[in-house]
């Protein structure tokens, strides 16, 4: 068995693992071994469906040292204030370039197609070769990795003779004579619906299985750089809603009223929040599909029927079922980020996975005491339910205060493109920014009281 010695063994070469490794290389002289089961860096992007795009602006995704994109407009939208979003192919190319830069330092080693077995041992997936990796700290960058349709079977039975494909096979599938059934209400299902409509499929040829209705966040509320004024305005109004509402239900009513959250169907109660972003154009398109099935979860797909928790939906062999039901982002229980010899990468801010891993890497490189590190890196307890919107507001109010009290960390936050609000100082004289800051300052205390009580209930 070969033996490798390194300071850090990073398990997982996706967005979190790459962002963490990038920060360590930049801010320390540490050596790193990156291990991943896939053949290329980028995590789930390697297996993503071919028409996928980043759901947030490219400008604050990726690793700290190399921007993924700039502040140009999104050419797929008619709103010039929405910033560009990279395609899946562009993201894969980007991470390949980042890996090349890391390897070029001479302090990073990459082991693709390799499974970490524990106890310092890893094994190649295309053979029996094993390697002993002696390390100072183990970095688990896989905790947030969920399931995706390309690599996970559907969470329901598919009978012989039934036609069911993962979303990634949709572009190569022949057009079915009797239409489509898209299973899944999340962002993947939404992307599938939008792709079909953009290619001229009539809305009445699409049935959309939505077991639970999602809350969607307007893309204008999640823009860095020149869009940060809208971003801080939306956030301040959510803080105000939390302060003035008497219950979580009233909070959601207030936020929806000012446009901070959307439902695809305004008449259907929403129970899921995963931070999915949607433009006004996309929302209007999604609402064109009115053949919505709300009969619980799919249990079985048959040639002439789809079986649900609540009965059956008649179908035909000429209907194509599109599986978009995998849970793309895991919602495991939180554990300490810094735990002895192990570092457990987890979200520290909602919707900013690479940012969270980068900040963790910065703290690891600049702090010695794990207790102090954990005080700065508190993972978010996510469930996938609507309560996560409350967690998002409460976390943002809390971390802003703690991080601002650390001069070196605050300095990094002011310069990194991964910080959604990094451009805020450039707009300090904007009246909307001043109003938003005043709103947060006046309402933050009462909002936190309400949020803590609701989350503890």
């Amino acid at each position: 068995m070969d033996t490798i010695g390194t300071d850090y063994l990073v398990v997982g070469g996706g967005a979190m693992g790459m962002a963490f490794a990038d920060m360590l290389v930049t801010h320390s002289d540490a050596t790193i071994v990156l291990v991943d089961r896939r053949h290329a860096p980028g995590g789930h992007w390697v297996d993503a469906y071919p028409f996928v795009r980043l759901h947030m602006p490219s400008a604050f995704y990726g690793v700290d040292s190399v921007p993924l994109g700039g502040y140009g407009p999104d050419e797929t939208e008619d709103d010039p204030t929405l910033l560009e979003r990279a395609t899946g192919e562009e993201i894969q190319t980007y991470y390949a370039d980042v890996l090349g830069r890391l390897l070029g330092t001479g302090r990073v080693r990459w082991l693709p197609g390799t499974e970490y077995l524990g106890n310092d041992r890893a094994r190649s997936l295309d053979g029996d070769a094993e390697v002993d990796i002696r390390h100072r700290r183990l970095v688990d960058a896989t905790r947030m990795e969920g399931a995706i349709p390309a690599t996970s079977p559907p969470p329901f039975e598919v009978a012989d003779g039934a036609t069911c494909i993962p979303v990634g096979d949709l572009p190569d599938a022949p057009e079915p004579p009797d239409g489509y059934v898209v299973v899944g209400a999340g962002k993947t299902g939404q992307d599938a619906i939008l792709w079909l409509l953009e290619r001229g499929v009539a809305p009445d040829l699409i049935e959309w299985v939505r077991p639970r209705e999602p809350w969607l966040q307007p893309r204008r509320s999640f823009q860095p750089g020149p869009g940060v004024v809208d971003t801080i305005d939306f956030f301040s109004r959510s803080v105000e809603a939390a302060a003035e509402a008497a219950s979580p239900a009233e909070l959601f009513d207030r936020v929806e009223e000012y446009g901070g959250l959307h439902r695809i169907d305004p008449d259907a109660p929403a129970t899921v929040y995963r931070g999915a972003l949607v433009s006004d154009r996309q929302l209007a398109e999604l609402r064109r599909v009115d053949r919505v099935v709300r009969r619980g979860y799919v249990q079985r797909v048959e040639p002439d029927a789809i079986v649900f928790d609540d009965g059956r939906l008649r179908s035909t062999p000429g209907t194509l079922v599109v599986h978009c039901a995998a849970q793309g982002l895991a919602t495991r229980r939180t554990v300490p980020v810094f735990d002895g010899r192990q570092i457990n990468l987890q979200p520290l801010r909602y919707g900013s996975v690479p940012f969270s891993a980068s900040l963790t890497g910065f703290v690891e490189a600049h702090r010695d005491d794990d207790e102090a590190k954990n005080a700065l890196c508190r993972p978010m307890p996510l469930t996938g339910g609507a309560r996560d919107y409350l967690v998002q507001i409460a976390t943002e109010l809390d971390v802003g205060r703690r991080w601002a009290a650390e001069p070196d960390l605050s300095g990094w936050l002011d310069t990194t493109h991964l910080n959604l609000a990094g451009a805020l100082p450039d707009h300090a004289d904007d009246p909307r920014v001043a109003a938003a800051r005043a709103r947060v300052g006046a309402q933050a205390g009462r909002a936190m009281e309400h949020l803590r009580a609701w989350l503890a209930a």
Side-chain angles (χ1 to χ4, degrees):
M1 182 186 300
D2 290 338
T3 300
I4 300 174
T6 188
D7 293 318
Y8 293 86
L9 168 57
V10 179
V11 181
M16 295 197 94
M18 295 292 284
F20 181 87
D22 173 77
M23 288 300 286
L24 277 190
V25 165
T26 303
H27 291 271
S28 76
D29 59 0
T31 56
I32 302 168
V33 172
L34 274 164
V35 173
D36 197 285
R37 294 174 57 88
R38 294 179 172 91
H39 68 279
H44 73 279
W45 293 108
V46 176
D47 303 309
Y49 43 100
F51 51 88
V52 72
R53 274 186 182 271
L54 191 63
H55 300 144
M56 60 186 65
S58 300
F60 76 109
Y61 196 82
V63 304
D64 177 69
S65 67
V66 186
L68 169 60
Y71 297 102
D74 185 345
E75 296 179 354
T76 69
E77 297 289 346
D78 52 13
D79 182 349
T81 68
L82 300 179
L83 301 184
E84 63 186 60
R85 298 173 299 138
T87 65
E89 183 177 358
E90 288 170 338
I91 295 170
Q92 291 182 49
T93 300
Y94 167 81
Y95 277 119
D97 177 65
V98 169
L99 178 62
R101 291 168 181 261
L102 292 176
L103 296 177
T105 66
R107 292 189 283 125
V108 177
R109 182 164 179 176
W110 166 244
L111 301 181
T114 301
E115 179 180 23
Y116 181 63
L117 304 175
N119 297 321
D120 298 350
R121 292 169 52 244
R123 178 176 58 205
S124 171
L125 293 176
D126 59 5
D128 295 328
E130 291 192 7
V131 59
D132 185 30
I133 307 175
R134 306 290 175 85
H135 54 277
R136 183 165 59 86
R137 296 200 91 161
L138 173 71
V139 182
D140 184 358
T142 67
R143 287 190 61 82
M144 301 310 300
E145 184 169 351
I148 59 174
T151 57
S152 303
F156 47 79
E157 184 181 355
V158 179
D160 292 341
T163 306
C164 178
I165 63 169
V167 63
D169 292 349
L170 194 53
D172 297 324
E175 186 172 336
D178 297 332
Y180 302 83
V181 175
V182 175
V183 181
K187 196 58 182 173
T188 302
Q190 295 165 36
D191 282 352
I193 296 289
L194 293 170
W195 187 87
L196 290 170
L197 294 175
E198 287 167 1
R199 272 142 191 82
V201 176
D204 60 2
L205 290 178
I206 305 172
E207 286 191 290
W208 192 356
V209 176
R210 301 209 302 255
R212 298 189 295 170
E213 289 292 317
W215 285 109
L216 305 180
Q217 194 165 340
R219 279 179 57 196
R220 283 198 309 114
S221 71
F222 215 70
Q223 298 287 301
V228 74
V229 177
D230 274 340
T231 300
I232 186 64
D233 181 68
F234 272 98
F235 175 70
S236 70
R237 294 183 184 279
S238 67
V239 173
E240 183 177 61
E244 296 180 351
S247 67
E250 184 181 343
L251 165 64
F252 281 103
D253 287 343
R254 287 173 176 265
V255 174
E256 185 177 28
E257 184 178 351
Y258 78 74
L261 289 173
H262 300 304
R263 287 177 285 175
I264 302 172
D265 183 350
D267 296 323
T271 60
V272 180
Y273 176 77
R274 289 186 174 273
L277 302 175
V278 65
S279 69
D280 292 345
R281 177 194 64 82
Q282 290 172 327
L283 183 61
E285 286 291 292
L286 294 174
R287 286 174 172 170
R288 293 176 61 202
V289 178
D290 56 14
R291 297 179 64 194
V292 179
V293 182
R294 299 184 180 93
R295 308 187 68 172
Y297 291 96
V298 174
Q299 299 298 326
R300 177 179 169 89
V301 175
E302 300 176 350
D304 60 354
I306 300 176
V307 182
F308 293 86
D309 294 334
D310 180 20
R312 300 165 65 90
L313 174 70
R314 292 188 63 184
S315 183
T316 69
T319 299
L320 179 61
V321 177
V322 184
H323 156 43
C324 305
Q327 182 175 326
L329 187 65
T331 53
R332 299 182 178 93
R333 68 180 181 86
T334 61
V335 296
V337 172
F338 298 94
D339 188 10
R341 292 184 64 227
Q342 183 156 324
I343 300 174
N344 302 295
L345 298 183
Q346 296 158 90
L348 311 179
R349 170 184 276 176
Y350 205 97
S352 302
V353 166
F355 167 86
S356 299
S358 294
L359 189 144
T360 304
F362 182 94
V363 170
E364 168 66 7
H366 294 277
R367 302 289 187 278
D368 295 323
D369 179 66
D370 276 4
E371 184 176 350
K373 295 176 186 178
N374 280 324
L376 294 172
C377 300
R378 298 177 183 172
M380 300 179 67
L382 304 178
T383 66
R387 76 184 295 277
D388 286 357
Y389 185 69
L390 312 183
V391 174
Q392 174 177 317
I393 302 171
T395 299
E396 200 61 37
L397 287 172
D398 179 54
V399 298
R401 173 184 54 80
R402 287 188 286 111
W403 294 342
E406 305 287 327
D408 60 340
L409 182 54
S410 180
W412 175 73
L413 291 171
D414 287 341
T415 59
T416 179
H417 68 93
L418 298 175
N419 183 15
L420 179 62
L424 203 53
D426 297 335
H427 301 271
D429 296 333
D430 191 305
R432 291 178 62 204
V433 172
R437 283 177 161 163
R439 196 176 292 123
V440 172
Q443 303 279 23
R446 190 177 178 196
M448 281 298 289
E449 289 180 12
H450 287 175
L451 292 166
R452 285 170 178 155
W454 295 335
L455 291 169

